[in-house]
Amino acid sequence: MSGKKKIILILLIIIAVLVLTGCLRITADDLYFLPEISEEYLRLQAHISILLSQGAEFAPPTRGPNRQAVQLRDLNGSGTNEVIAFFSVPAESVLRVYIFELVDGDYVIADFIEGVGTEIESVRYVDMDGDGIMELVIGWQMGSALRYMTIYSISDFHHRLLVSGVEYSEISVFDVTGDGNDDVIVFRMPAFEFGAAAEVYSLMQDGEIVKSEARLSTGIESINRIMTGRLIDGTPAVFVDSEGTFETGSLVTDVLAIYSGGFSNISLTASSGVSESTVRHRMSSSDINKDGIIKVPTLRLLIAQSETEYFAIDWYAFRPNGQSNLILTTYHNNFDEWFLILPLDWRGKVSVRREDSVPGERTIIFSYFANPDGLHEDFLQIMKLSGENAEDRARSGNRVHLLTEGASVYAFELIASPDSFGLTFNEALIKDNFRLIYSDWISGSIT
C-alpha cells in the first residue's frame, strides 16, 4: 500500500471512530463538504503512519463489544479521550496495543502492551475498583481455539499486569459482588480432568485481585447465551445457557451468584453435577416481563384438541439458596411471532388449537374445558392478518386491533363474555398481556 493510501485509510478510520463515539457530529449540510480534521488528529495520523511504515499492521479485535482498529476512551477520568490502537508486527510475531495521550496538542505514545498470538480477540475497558481509571481486559487468540485473557491496570499510562494467562471460552463484565464496581467473569469449557467453570475476578481498593470460581454443569459442550440480571430478592446473578447431552434435554441454564460469601452455581444438583431443574429443549432464559429478574423457561404440554402438540411455557426465577419459584406462564406462537402471558387461573383448564382456513389470517383459539375428555368451549381467538385490507379486517365485527408491525397486523376477539367459566379474561387483560417475540429467545446468543 502506498504512503498516500495509508494516510487516506487512517483518516477514514479516525473519522469513523469519531462519528461512532459521538465526538464528531455531521449534519446534512456537512455532507456537501470534506470534513475538517483537527491538528491533533493530523498529528496522530502521522504517528500511526510511522508505525505502519515500520512494518506494523492494523489488527482490530475480532470479537467483543469494541472492534475498531483505532478506539477513543477516557482511560483516566480526565474528560479527555485517549487513543487506543491495535497492531500486529509480523516480523516480530507480536501483537501490540498502543495508548496515545494528548499532550500539549499532540498525541504521543504514552505506553504499549505487547502480547503473543494470532490475533487480538477482544478488548474491554472496565473500572474494576471505582477509582475512575479503566482497567484493560484483553483477550489474545492463540490459534483456532485457544484464548488467553490478561487484565492490566493503566495508572499514569504505565500498564501493570494484574491477571495473566487465563484460558477462556467467553468473557463477560458484570457487578457480581454487588459493590457497585464491575467484575470480570471468565467462562472455561471442559479440558482434560477439569470441568467447565466460571471465574470471577474482582479488584480490591488496595490493588489486590480476588478470584472466585463456580462449576458449570457437567456435560455442556458449548455456551449459547450469557445473561446478567437479578434473582427474586435482587441479588445480582449470571445465567449461562449451554448446550450438551442430558437425559431430559439438550439445553441447560447454570445460575451463578454470590451465596454464603462465595461465588456459587446455586442451581446445580450436587449428586449429578448438572443443573437438573433447568434442563430442557429450546427457549433461552430471559427477563421476559422486563422486571430485572431473569427467568428460566420450562415447556409444559397442554391438553390437545387434535394430534398437534401445543405447549405453555412456565417461567421460573431463583432465590439465592437455589429454590425456584413459578413467576408467570406464557403461550408462544413462534410461527406468527407473538406470545401471551396467561393468567394463573388458566392453568389446567385451557386448551389451544390453530385455524388457518381464512386466507390472510392465521388464528390461535383458546378454549376452556372442565374435563379433558369433555367439551372444549372457545372463549378467545388471536390472529395475525396480512394482505389487502388487513387493518380494516383487524377492526371488523367484534375484533380488537392490537398492533401493526410492518405488513403484519395483530388482533383478537373475545368469543365468550369476559370472565366466563370462572377464568380471568377481558379486553384490557389481553391488550396488556400480548407481546411480540424476539428471535434470540429461541436461538440464543452470546451477550
Side-chain angles (χ1 to χ4, degrees):
M1 182 185 292
S2 69
K4 183 176 180 181
K5 288 183 177 178
K6 284 183 180 178
I7 291 174
I8 292 172
L9 175 61
I10 295 165
L11 288 174
L12 289 174
I13 291 173
I14 294 173
I15 290 169
V17 170
L18 293 175
V19 171
L20 290 172
T21 56
C23 299
L24 183 65
R25 303 189 183 279
I26 298 178
T27 66
D29 292 339
D30 294 333
L31 296 176
Y32 292 98
F33 303 94
L34 289 174
E36 295 184 5
I37 305 301
S38 69
E39 186 67 26
E40 290 87 352
Y41 286 106
L42 287 174
R43 291 173 183 170
L44 171 64
Q45 168 260 303
H47 291 304
I48 292 179
S49 184
I50 289 173
L51 292 175
L52 293 173
S53 69
Q54 292 174 345
E57 299 176 357
F58 284 121
T62 58
R63 298 181 76 222
N66 308 299
R67 304 189 189 187
Q68 302 86 2
V70 181
Q71 301 178 19
L72 298 181
R73 285 294 186 281
D74 181 4
L75 297 179
N76 60 2
S78 66
T80 300
N81 282 326
E82 283 69 51
V83 174
I84 303 92
F86 301 84
F87 297 91
S88 66
V89 186
E92 302 178 32
S93 299
V94 296
L95 300 162
R96 288 195 183 128
V97 180
Y98 283 88
I99 300 173
F100 292 85
E101 179 188 7
L102 186 61
V103 179
D104 297 327
D106 188 11
Y107 276 101
V108 298
I109 296 175
D111 195 11
F112 71 86
I113 297 169
E114 190 168 274
V116 178
T118 55
E119 59 191 18
I120 298 170
E121 191 265 351
S122 62
V123 64
R124 291 167 173 81
Y125 307 93
V126 187
D127 183 1
M128 296 177 65
D129 57 357
D131 64 354
I133 299 174
M134 295 292 178
E135 280 67 50
L136 262 62
V137 182
I138 301 177
W140 310 93
Q141 188 79 45
M142 308 288 287
S144 60
L146 194 58
R147 302 169 188 157
Y148 286 99
M149 179 199 72
T150 51
I151 302 178
Y152 301 91
S153 172
I154 307 296
S155 181
D156 298 324
F157 301 112
H158 295 292
H159 70 275
R160 178 170 68 91
L161 185 63
L162 299 177
V163 177
S164 175
V166 177
E167 186 177 347
Y168 70 94
S169 299
E170 303 293 340
I171 298 175
S172 187
V173 174
F174 181 60
D175 179 13
V176 177
T177 57
D179 63 358
N181 300 321
D182 280 334
D183 308 294
V184 177
I185 313 163
V186 168
F187 300 90
R188 186 183 66 240
M189 297 302 293
F192 302 107
E193 72 273 19
F194 300 107
E199 297 174 346
V200 172
Y201 293 84
S202 304
L203 181 59
M204 302 295 101
Q205 296 293 331
D206 61 2
E208 179 186 0
I209 284 283
V210 175
K211 183 184 81 169
S212 303
E213 181 174 330
R215 292 170 55 196
L216 299 180
S217 286
T218 301
I220 67 172
E221 298 167 355
S222 64
I223 294 175
N224 281 13
R225 181 183 176 93
I226 300 166
M227 293 195 69
T228 55
R230 298 192 177 275
L231 305 179
I232 291 174
D233 70 340
T235 299
V238 181
F239 297 75
V240 185
D241 287 351
S242 304
E243 285 196 19
T245 303
F246 311 102
E247 288 187 8
T248 57
S250 59
L251 186 66
V252 67
T253 298
D254 290 305
V255 184
L256 313 176
I258 299 294
Y259 180 57
S260 298
F263 188 53
S264 177
N265 185 342
I266 63 172
S267 59
L268 199 69
T269 303
S271 58
S272 64
V274 176
S275 294
E276 293 179 359
S277 66
T278 70
V279 175
R280 62 198 183 277
H281 292 289
R282 303 182 302 172
M283 295 297 296
S284 296
S285 303
S286 173
D287 179 10
I288 190 166
N289 60 345
K290 308 302 180 186
D291 63 358
I293 299 172
I294 305 299
K295 292 91 180 170
V296 179
T298 298
L299 272 65
R300 176 168 50 85
L301 184 65
L302 293 172
I303 296 297
Q305 300 183 48
S306 66
E307 293 182 358
T308 303
E309 292 184 336
Y310 296 92
F311 295 87
I313 302 172
D314 293 327
W315 296 86
Y316 290 85
F318 282 78
R319 299 185 182 277
N321 63 0
Q323 177 187 350
S324 62
N325 291 69
L326 176 64
I327 302 300
L328 75 161
T329 297
T330 59
Y331 170 77
H332 276 60
N333 181 349
N334 295 325
F335 187 66
D336 294 331
E337 302 175 313
W338 61 263
F339 74 92
L340 185 71
I341 299 174
L342 306 183
L344 293 180
D345 62 12
W346 290 20
R347 191 179 186 90
K349 301 176 182 177
V350 171
S351 62
V352 173
R353 74 178 188 276
R354 170 180 287 278
E355 287 192 2
D356 296 337
S357 57
V358 179
E361 298 184 9
R362 297 203 294 266
T363 303
I364 292 292
I365 298 175
F366 294 84
S367 308
Y368 165 79
F369 62 86
N371 184 321
D373 298 323
L375 179 66
H376 290 243
E377 301 179 71
D378 302 339
F379 66 91
L380 168 68
Q381 60 182 6
I382 298 177
M383 59 214 73
K384 179 179 182 179
L385 303 97
S386 59
E388 189 176 355
N389 301 322
E391 288 274 359
D392 294 336
R393 286 185 283 124
R395 293 178 171 87
S396 64
N398 294 321
R399 291 178 176 179
V400 179
H401 175 261
L402 282 165
L403 58 85
T404 299
E405 182 79 6
S408 299
V409 182
Y410 297 87
F412 74 92
E413 181 179 354
L414 298 183
I415 306 172
S417 299
D419 303 320
S420 296
F421 318 116
L423 299 180
T424 303
F425 66 95
N426 51 60
E427 287 191 3
L429 182 142
I430 304 305
K431 288 179 180 179
D432 290 343
N433 287 14
F434 181 86
R435 306 282 193 279
L436 293 184
I437 289 176
Y438 295 95
S439 61
D440 66 336
W441 292 346
I442 302 172
S443 61
S445 62
I446 300 296
T447 59

